[in-house]
Amino acid sequence: SLLYADTTNSGDGAIDSGNAMKMCYGVDIVPGLVERSRSHHRILQDILQDNESFLQQSQANIELLLGDIHQPDSQLQKILDETTIAVCFATTWSAENAVGTSLQGRKLPKLSKALSHGLSSGCRVVIIDGKLDEEDDFQWMGDLKILCPDTAPYSV
């Protein structure tokens, strides 16, 4: 993952040599997906090592872990406590919950409960292909629909 955060005081998005995001964690419950992510990360690191660039200098440190958000161990809970933004790809979980084309039908009650108990107050959460429960103190901002033929019909 290449991550960029606006670190200028002006908020105009001008590129700065620093990166406000210092650490990035990828967590998955499926061992094969963790290993695949680590493989992609090694390839990315090799590419960036060969080309000293702004991307290499502004990339956050990345650690990819095997873990269960529903039953976090102490290491994962510490990460969750310090998380300021979480992005969850819920494609697999929500596909069977889909009703029509709106994400209104793609509710994720178990993930919603786990995140509401695990994340610190004020953490921002972005859910891809799903919707958290507003009863768990999440605020739904709306659908952003992007048609992606590579993942259809599971993800739109």
Side-chain angles (χ1 to χ4, degrees):
S1 297
L2 297 176
L3 305 170
Y4 169 74
D6 181 12
T7 58
T8 63
N9 290 331
S10 66
D12 64 0
I15 294 175
D16 186 356
S17 62
N19 185 348
M21 193 171 299
K22 300 296 181 200
M23 191 66 202
C24 177
Y25 294 92
V27 180
D28 206 301
I29 195 169
V30 180
L33 293 178
V34 174
E35 287 309 312
R36 185 170 72 176
S37 295
R38 288 177 177 158
S39 175
H40 288 298
H41 183 248
R42 283 189 294 273
I43 292 168
L44 174 63
Q45 292 302 106
D46 289 344
I47 291 168
L48 293 177
Q49 291 295 344
D50 292 341
N51 179 16
E52 287 194 32
S53 66
F54 170 75
L55 292 177
Q56 181 185 20
Q57 296 167 13
S58 62
Q59 176 184 326
N61 293 321
I62 299 171
E63 188 173 343
L64 302 161
L65 308 167
L66 181 65
D68 184 351
I69 194 75
H70 301 284
Q71 297 177 335
D73 61 16
S74 59
Q75 178 190 16
L76 180 53
Q77 188 56 60
K78 183 176 185 317
I79 292 167
L80 293 172
D81 290 341
E82 297 172 359
T83 297
T84 56
I85 184 166
V87 179
C88 302
F89 291 85
T91 303
T92 302
W93 303 318
S94 64
E96 62 195 41
N97 297 328
V99 177
T101 59
S102 173
L103 290 180
Q104 287 289 348
R106 293 177 179 247
K107 295 182 180 170
L108 304 166
K110 287 175 60 180
L111 179 61
S112 186
K113 285 269 186 252
L115 293 177
S116 71
H117 294 261
L119 293 171
S120 61
S121 177
C123 177
R124 304 283 184 175
V125 182
V126 177
I127 302 292
I128 310 299
D129 278 344
K131 182 175 183 265
L132 299 179
D133 195 335
E134 292 175 0
E135 291 180 14
D136 291 323
D137 291 328
F138 291 106
Q139 182 181 8
W140 181 59
M141 303 301 291
D143 293 352
L144 171 62
K145 185 174 181 179
I146 301 171
L147 190 55
C148 182
D150 292 342
T151 58
Y154 303 107
S155 175
V156 290

